[in-house]
Amino acid sequence: MRYSGFKVLKEALTGHKGWKPAWRDPAPKPHYDILVIGGGGHGLATAYYLAKVFGKANVAVLEKGWIGGGNVGRNTTIIRSNYLLDGNEPFYEFSMKLWEGLEQDFNFNAMVSQRGVLNLCHTDAQRDAFRRRGNAMRLNGVDAELLDTEGVRRMAPFLNFENARFPIKGGLLQPRGGTVRHDAVAWGYARGADMRGVDIIQNCEVTGFRIENGICKGVETTRGFIGAGKVGVAVAGSSGRVMAKAGMRLPIESHVLQAFVSEGLKPLLPGVITYGAGHFYVSQSDKGGLVFGGDIDGYNSYAQRGNLPVVEDVCEGGMSLMPMIGRAKLLRMWGGIMDMSMDGSPIIDRTDTERLYFNGGWCYGGFKATPASGWAFAHLLATGNPHETATAYRFDRFRKGLMIDEKGMGAQPNLH
């Protein structure tokens, strides 16, 4: 069933009796050509592109809870491709181009809103670094605009420009950046994959891998053994725990990242604004709530809840940048688990176990990468070769010293 304005009008006039479930609830089959573990944005996007682009219909997605209930529902909805390094920029720009045509592609309203992403700078050195990054973006064909203080003031006059410690010296703007309705991304990909024959199996936790003579034959689950020709793991913050079941130890730490939503306010923010001095980022949802976040909690954890010191730190950052934010009431806050790789960049690669593939280590960048991550992982699973934009995201970069250290802060997750 395709959605359209005519369909919405027809259902409105007939009591909404013609809507059908957006995806099926099938029982698992004994064997699939490809199993994708993880029913979040990346796993569902992988299944969607496997079916749509590579013609693989005998595919299943296994999710231990319900689709959209993990990290894809626990982020601040930002999309952008404002990267510096060659290993990252083409990949995230590929993702941005997929975002721009996503709703027409899978016939689902994901509320893609390209209202701009503005990174503020506060020192001359930081402005020089932004100029360098903006030039790198333009060399890769990506939109970028360097603003001076007055340029930023025209966009966001309510910011605290006169702060003596962190005066705003300007900013790097990517006009094509913005926000997307995050859970609708999962639902749209799920619906599109299901329409092409993919089985989406919820409440099915993977409890182990069946590996014989170095070859992955399938997975043990709470709903029994499921055989597979290939197995791809895309489980966001649970990568370490899931891959441990296959005997792998990853170059990844898991940390909590908190996010916050205020009460609904009148339209205020023109787009996404990030505070370079305090690592604070904020946008405004279509319902008016301010959506914001900051640093990770500074220790390893799988707990999906935050702690008060980071709450205080994030709110101090917000007050420093936008003093009037202190008058808004906070409605919700939550914590999501992130796989923090040692260089801040992701991994999309085959493992040492034959027919077992891995996608993870997304750090702060998982949501905006969803379309390209799914496409690149589907390409790897279908062809056995990395996608042209993801050739740098290999395991062996840590062994070879070819790390993609976007922020130049070294291999330390809490500094990314």
Side-chain angles (χ1 to χ4, degrees):
M1 177 177 65
R2 286 191 60 80
Y3 297 142
S4 66
F6 174 76
K7 179 67 177 177
V8 172
L9 179 61
K10 179 183 177 182
E11 290 300 326
L13 296 175
T14 56
H16 293 284
K17 297 178 181 177
W19 297 118
K20 298 178 181 177
W23 52 86
R24 298 166 295 127
D25 185 23
K29 295 190 290 190
H31 189 277
Y32 291 91
D33 292 341
I34 300 176
L35 277 179
V36 179
I37 303 174
H42 292 218
L44 292 168
T46 300
Y48 175 76
Y49 292 120
L50 275 171
K52 180 176 184 292
V53 178
F54 299 98
K56 306 290 184 182
N58 190 21
V59 176
V61 176
L62 307 183
E63 168 56 43
K64 74 173 182 178
W66 64 92
I67 63 170
N71 274 15
V72 73
R74 292 173 172 267
N75 62 75
T76 47
T77 75
I78 298 170
I79 60 171
R80 57 184 174 85
S81 60
N82 53 355
Y83 280 75
L84 169 69
L85 301 181
D86 289 340
N88 280 328
E89 183 56 54
F91 176 82
Y92 286 99
E93 178 58 13
F94 177 48
S95 197
M96 181 61 74
K97 289 176 179 175
L98 291 174
W99 281 120
E100 289 173 326
L102 187 70
E103 292 166 316
Q104 292 74 24
D105 184 36
F106 62 26
N107 182 229
F108 199 88
N109 182 12
M111 299 171 69
V112 178
S113 176
Q114 293 179 277
R115 46 184 113 170
V117 173
L118 174 63
N119 301 135
L120 300 175
C121 60
H122 309 273
T123 66
D124 292 342
Q126 196 174 31
R127 183 173 53 203
D128 289 345
F130 278 10
R131 178 178 289 111
R132 180 173 174 238
R133 192 203 303 184
N135 286 335
M137 291 166 63
R138 289 197 167 195
L139 286 172
N140 279 287
V142 181
D143 58 319
E145 184 178 349
L146 190 65
L147 303 181
D148 59 14
T149 303
E150 290 308 309
V152 174
R153 195 187 299 274
R154 284 193 292 273
M155 285 189 61
F158 48 83
L159 298 178
N160 186 7
F161 288 86
E162 310 306 330
N163 186 302
R165 186 175 182 188
F166 301 119
I168 296 173
K169 297 273 189 175
L172 182 63
L173 173 67
Q174 185 185 16
R176 289 167 57 240
T179 60
V180 179
R181 172 67 188 244
H182 47 176
D183 39 14
V185 173
W187 301 334
Y189 274 126
R191 176 175 172 276
D194 178 86
M195 289 173 63
R196 290 166 174 81
V198 173
D199 284 354
I200 299 170
I201 302 169
Q202 303 178 81
N203 300 306
C204 182
E205 182 176 1
V206 172
T207 57
F209 293 79
R210 185 173 293 182
I211 299 173
E212 299 174 359
N213 299 319
I215 302 173
C216 185
K217 301 286 188 179
V219 296
E220 304 288 349
T221 77
T222 51
R223 300 176 69 172
F225 173 76
I226 304 176
K230 296 179 180 178
V231 177
V233 178
V235 294
S238 296
S239 295
R241 289 185 290 191
V242 172
M243 295 307 287
K245 299 178 191 297
M248 283 191 65
R249 185 181 179 188
L250 301 172
I252 280 174
E253 293 183 359
S254 296
H255 290 257
V256 176
L257 177 64
Q258 300 186 62
F260 308 82
V261 176
S262 78
E263 62 181 326
L265 305 173
K266 291 181 179 178
L268 168 69
L269 296 182
V272 181
I273 297 177
T274 75
Y275 184 22
H279 196 200
F280 173 83
Y281 40 91
V282 60
S283 63
Q284 190 166 20
S285 74
D286 294 282
K287 292 189 291 187
L290 300 180
V291 183
F292 56 93
D295 283 320
I296 56 175
D297 285 23
Y299 52 88
N300 298 345
S301 174
Y302 287 116
Q304 289 187 318
R305 61 181 183 275
N307 289 282
L308 289 176
V310 174
V311 174
E312 182 180 13
D313 178 67
V314 172
C315 291
E316 283 181 344
M319 287 286 291
S320 176
L321 180 65
M322 302 167 52
M324 80 291 198
I325 201 174
R327 302 189 65 178
K329 295 177 181 176
L330 190 65
L331 292 190
R332 294 184 288 126
M333 53 179 284
W334 63 89
I337 306 170
M338 293 195 308
D339 294 337
M340 300 295 292
S341 65
M342 295 299 106
D343 61 355
S345 294
I347 301 165
I348 302 176
D349 200 3
R350 61 174 72 232
T351 72
D352 290 336
T353 300
E354 192 172 343
R355 302 181 188 176
L356 178 61
Y357 300 78
F358 176 74
N359 177 339
W362 289 97
C363 302
Y364 292 90
F367 180 67
K368 60 179 170 287
T370 301
S373 168
W375 190 303
F377 201 33
H379 186 281
L380 178 65
L381 286 164
T383 69
N385 298 311
H387 187 262
E388 59 182 353
T389 64
T391 55
Y393 297 154
R394 310 294 297 273
F395 275 112
D396 62 3
R397 72 176 189 266
F398 300 103
R399 177 170 53 83
K400 295 179 177 178
L402 300 176
M403 293 183 290
I404 313 168
D405 189 1
E406 183 72 30
K407 293 205 171 183
M409 291 182 172
Q412 193 170 345
N414 68 343
L415 295 179
H416 292 164

